[in-house]
Amino acid sequence: MWGIEVIFKGKNFLRLLGGLGTALQISLAAVLISIPLGILLGVLMAGKNPVIKAILRVYLDFIRIMPQLVLLFLVFFGTTKVWGWDLSGEVSSVIVFSMWGSAEMSDLVRGSLAAIPKHQYESAQSLGFTPWQTKIYIIIPQTIRRLIPLSINLITRMIKTTSLVLMIGVVEVLKVAQQIIEANRMTAPDAAFGVYLFVFVLYFAACFIPSLLARHLERKWS
Amino acid sequence: MSGLLEIKHLTKRFGDTVILNDINITVNKGEVVVILGPSGCGKSTLLRCINALEDIQGGEILIDGGMIGKGADMSKVGMVFQSYDLFPHLNVLDNITLAPRKVHKRTRADAEEEARELLKRVGLSGKEKSFPRELSGGQKQRAAIVRALIMHPELLLFDEVTAALDPEMVREVLEVILDLARQERTMMIVTHEMQFAKAIADRVIMIDGGSIVEENPPERFFTEPDTQRARQFLETFTYESVRK
């Protein structure tokens, strides 16, 4: 029915899971780069140096204004044309998602730090904490509690957006789905529905579980 | 004799605006000084200067002989704020014991023992494991007082600590402060609670426009103040009946 049987034909099921695996690997690599880099940039954005702040602001706005697809094309095709770099689709994807992730993450960090009331610093100071102790025991724990749910949401957005990387030739879950549908066009004309439905379920599973966790943490710490 | 706190010719400016102008106050050990004055007169800023939360543009502030900003032992001063400012990620017990453990390097057991005693004294036994968001305003403020007390400050500053509270919670907090006065603690209190000020003050200082306009014992200040300005200020707290 609806071409769902196509999913279980041959190695199709495993290929689709493999495609999801590729998407998740790209996301994971980008997350592992984005989070520390984003924290560093966010702390700088919350700091006092106006030049650094202005540069980071421009970087953040640039990344936000550009559609991710344009960034992917720019890195994948653009660097080949101009500098002759031969980046694979996967590497280009990780670069773009790391740029995007670190920019978004830096804004989350900046916002979380700015959301700590001035009085938290003052009451710490009046209790005799040194500036370092204040950061370690009071500011950072509160910032992390704000950040974890926000970062999980960012990660799920990244996972979803990896569906674009098929446009630069990366064989991820959506590309595999297209290939399966093409190959079965004659025998199972309905396959598009069943296969894309399955892709939906895969994305849903990959994003829903972290979303639940984020919501749980948000409620616990609010 | 010299006081525990000596403020000499203190001047505080924000840019060109003068907030405090040539303030001179001496507070002796065991004395309770209440600071009164209209909103924006500089009384909160004065407390913040004493606690080194503001830099000063002139004069000096000495705590037990040490100059603030130049080597004074700031652990001798404790402050309680209007907005409680408990640490939201820590439970009551950890809020109170974090500073003695990290700043005074006391053991957890030692700090917790004292914290429990103090919590009992302010009527918060059983709230040790509660988080600030689970407490009422009055309970939060009492916990914040304990957090300041456990550092054993010689001078306690209270900055409008009941201003953000519902009326029925004001009393439970003020009772705690009255109890501290009975223990002969040295305190400076900024408040708008006139009855409380009358009951607790050894001396009342009224500030207006950044300067001290009157300094008197409460019996005198509240019944026959020396200045017209003080009289005007006190009148704002009384109402004439409109019944015919």
Side-chain angles (χ1 to χ4, degrees):
Chain A
M1 191 185 68
W2 294 346
I4 287 174
E5 66 282 356
V6 171
I7 297 163
F8 302 101
K9 231 168 81 178
K11 286 188 174 149
N12 287 353
F13 185 77
L14 286 177
R15 283 179 63 206
L16 282 165
L17 284 186
L20 182 73
T22 305
L24 291 180
Q25 270 170 22
I26 291 172
S27 309
L28 183 70
V31 165
L32 289 179
I33 296 169
S34 297
I35 287 183
L37 195 60
I39 289 173
L40 178 69
L41 297 181
V43 169
L44 290 173
M45 268 170 103
K48 292 195 174 80
N49 189 321
V51 179
I52 290 176
K53 282 166 85 166
I55 293 170
L56 291 173
R57 192 76 233 171
V58 170
Y59 172 65
L60 175 63
D61 285 342
F62 172 78
I63 300 285
R64 278 199 176 152
I65 289 165
M66 292 286 262
Q68 276 89 28
L69 192 55
V70 177
L71 282 175
L72 284 168
F73 284 168
L74 197 64
V75 171
F76 184 65
F77 299 114
T79 57
T80 312
K81 290 284 175 210
V82 178
W83 293 299
W85 295 356
D86 185 20
L87 299 178
S88 71
E90 284 83 355
V91 170
S92 304
S93 307
V94 171
I95 292 173
V96 168
F97 281 91
S98 300
M99 285 165 69
W100 177 49
S102 59
E104 291 286 351
M105 187 70 194
S106 72
D107 202 36
L108 297 179
V109 170
R110 184 202 55 75
S112 302
L113 282 171
I116 307 269
K118 190 178 76 164
H119 279 132
Q120 289 287 312
Y121 293 90
E122 291 186 342
S123 45
Q125 188 191 332
S126 74
L127 287 168
F129 289 104
T130 64
W132 270 110
Q133 287 176 325
T134 305
K135 284 190 185 74
I136 291 168
Y137 298 115
I138 293 151
I139 306 305
I140 293 175
Q142 291 184 51
T143 312
I144 289 173
R145 276 171 173 73
R146 283 169 203 265
L147 266 181
I148 286 176
L150 298 172
S151 331
I152 294 176
N153 288 335
L154 177 62
I155 292 167
T156 60
R157 274 164 65 205
M158 267 198 207
I159 294 173
K160 282 185 283 190
T161 316
T162 53
S163 57
L164 292 175
V165 302
L166 73 98
M167 301 298 287
I168 56 168
V170 178
V171 185
E172 46 67 78
V173 60
L174 207 56
K175 186 72 195 172
V176 175
Q178 284 180 349
Q179 289 170 346
I180 292 172
I181 293 162
E182 279 299 302
N184 294 279
R185 188 148 63 190
M186 296 306 171
T187 52
D190 292 343
F193 191 75
V195 173
Y196 284 137
L197 194 68
F198 184 64
V199 170
F200 165 81
V201 172
L202 288 180
Y203 272 118
F204 185 80
C207 296
F208 186 62
I209 296 162
S211 291
L212 277 184
L213 182 68
R215 208 180 310 160
H216 169 74
L217 292 176
E218 221 162 346
R219 216 171 290 157
K220 189 175 155 194
W221 286 332
S222 71
Chain B
M1 80 175 257
S2 63
L4 175 65
L5 170 73
E6 285 185 63
I7 303 174
K8 297 174 183 166
H9 307 291
L10 165 66
T11 299
K12 166 75 193 167
R13 282 188 299 265
F14 285 121
D16 290 334
T17 318
V18 178
I19 307 295
L20 293 168
N21 183 25
D22 195 24
I23 301 281
N24 294 281
I25 299 174
T26 300
V27 179
N28 297 313
K29 234 179 153 58
E31 207 179 6
V32 177
V33 174
V34 169
I35 318 262
L36 299 176
S39 297
C41 70
K43 53 195 189 312
S44 287
T45 310
L46 174 62
L47 291 196
R48 292 171 56 83
C49 289
I50 298 169
N51 203 20
L53 293 173
E54 301 282 350
D55 51 352
I56 62 176
Q57 279 66 50
E60 54 186 35
I61 303 173
L62 298 142
I63 294 285
D64 221 2
M67 200 188 302
I68 284 182
K70 286 174 191 143
D73 180 1
M74 289 315 294
S75 71
K76 292 187 175 170
V77 184
M79 183 154 175
V80 184
F81 299 84
Q82 178 179 333
S83 45
Y84 340 120
D85 305 311
L86 294 174
F87 305 127
H89 62 297
L90 299 177
N91 66 28
V92 169
L93 202 57
D94 288 339
N95 255 285
I96 294 165
T97 58
L98 187 66
R101 284 190 286 127
K102 301 303 174 189
V103 178
H104 285 168
K105 312 288 180 208
R106 291 169 64 183
T107 65
R108 181 181 278 275
D110 174 37
E112 288 192 350
E113 190 190 329
E114 187 179 356
R116 285 176 202 281
E117 261 167 49
L118 288 167
L119 282 170
K120 193 172 163 198
R121 181 128 204 185
V122 302
L124 284 179
S125 283
K127 295 289 181 193
E128 288 85 356
K129 297 289 171 194
S130 300
F131 280 85
R133 61 174 179 275
E134 299 163 340
L135 302 180
S136 72
Q139 290 171 331
K140 274 188 244 190
Q141 196 56 290
R142 283 183 280 154
I145 292 172
V146 170
R147 189 176 63 169
L149 285 177
I150 201 167
M151 298 303 281
H152 307 146
E154 294 190 27
L155 172 67
L156 271 166
L157 308 174
F158 291 89
D159 186 10
E160 299 195 35
V161 290
T162 58
L165 296 176
D166 290 335
E168 60 268 37
M169 288 171 188
V170 168
R171 184 155 194 116
E172 64 188 48
V173 173
L174 296 184
E175 288 289 354
V176 169
I177 304 175
L178 285 165
D179 187 44
L180 294 173
R182 281 182 214 111
Q183 299 166 38
E184 310 215 327
R185 299 248 185 196
T186 316
M187 299 190 274
M188 280 182 94
I189 303 172
V190 167
T191 184
H192 286 291
E193 300 288 335
M194 290 302 136
Q195 296 303 321
F196 168 67
K198 212 181 283 186
I200 202 168
D202 293 314
R203 185 151 44 109
V204 175
I205 294 176
M206 179 174 164
I207 297 181
D208 191 23
S211 303
I212 295 179
V213 293
E214 179 155 346
E215 184 167 355
N216 259 325
E219 319 64 86
R220 172 122 195 169
F221 182 85
F222 286 105
T223 50
E224 38 175 351
D226 295 341
T227 57
Q228 178 62 25
R229 186 67 195 90
R231 214 165 300 137
Q232 262 179 1
F233 175 70
L234 289 171
E235 274 167 15
T236 61
F237 293 92
T238 57
Y239 295 90
E240 271 182 50
S241 172
V242 291
R243 258 170 290 147
K244 298 205 176 79

